Amino acid sequence: MNEAPEGKEGTAMRVGFIGIGNMGWPMAANIAKAGHAVTVHDGSAERMARFVAEHGGRAAETLADLGGCEFVVTMLPTGQIVREVLTGGAGGGLAPHLGAGTVVIDMSSSDPLGTQELGAALKARGIALVDAPVSGGVPRAAAGTLAIMIGGDDAEAIERARPLLRTMGDRLFDTGPLGSGHAMKALNNYCAAAAYAATAEALIIGERFGLAPETIVEIVNASTGRSFVSELVMKEHVVTGRFATGFQLGLLAKDVKIAADLGEALGIEAPVSRLVRERWSLARERVGAERDHSEAIRGWTQEPDRKG
Ligand code: NAD
């Protein structure tokens, strides 16, 4: 294996990848396919073993096994879990095992204020943190064509990370200081969640009046009410009853909460974000956090499906 401390394009890098779930799996697979030495870590030992069997690399049974990585990518459910993994627990998490100069890239959809706190804690150890959340869902994660929003205070660390990020995404946006990528991601998902809530209400009202759901979605998609949500989520997953986007309801409810909480923390009058937060929180309660996010509409009809 090449020694490639600078992580230059074309040279193999030692990459730790934590969280090989719906998104992390195909992202880590693309890093491995690009020829980098990937060490995966996940709460599920079975997933780690399967990943190594399919894509090579190594499984890190403990966080200490990730020591020696030049880059550590996190793709975990929440920023709180990311902080716990990096600096929490009795042993202080992964950070004490990483050398100075390591770049940690948090690609999860984390909360930006927590990211700034984590950045300060890591910086004290000479470790740089870059936030690089993604958009595009599982299909674009698999294709290596994610949109990536890059925030960070260490310009050199961002440049070192960029070739690695290019193995996972083809649209890279520099958003500004540390946490700005995470703020941007939450705001984007808030827009999508608001579109879903509005389109779901149009479906519920229209159906009660006697319109067929297929007709409503078809006409919205040919008219000014269309959005990514109406064109993909409503058409392919809600009207068909497939409910299989691969993005869990609890994760989107978390993102909306991050965006609305951020507005509150900044003292902004943003009542729509608060209402959308409330609606997604209700859907999570009634439908279940683990269910597909496209099922949220079931939580807002009079007879919610409580299978979750
Ligand atoms: P997921 O639940 O499928 O995957 C999370 C993985 O993390 C699981 O494999 C789990 O075992 C592992 N994990 C959880 N806690 C852990 C811990 N303490 N230590 C080690 N491993 C742990 O979630 P996902 O859909 O892959 O989402 C990951 C992140 O990406 C979230 O922040 C989500 O909001 C964001 N995101 C998801 C999508 C999507 O379409 N699914 C799109 C963009 C962004």
Side-chain angles (χ1 to χ4, degrees), residues 18-24 41-44 47 75-78 81 85 108-109 134 137-138 185 246-248 251 254-255:
I18 309 178
I20 46 168
N22 286 335
M23 291 293 286
H41 180 73
D42 193 278
S44 159
R47 267 185 101 72
M75 195 55 178
L76 291 161
T78 66
I81 297 175
V85 165
S108 330
S109 304
V134 305
V138 174
K185 171 65 189 172
F247 185 32
Q248 292 164 31
L251 293 178
K254 167 216 44 168
D255 295 338

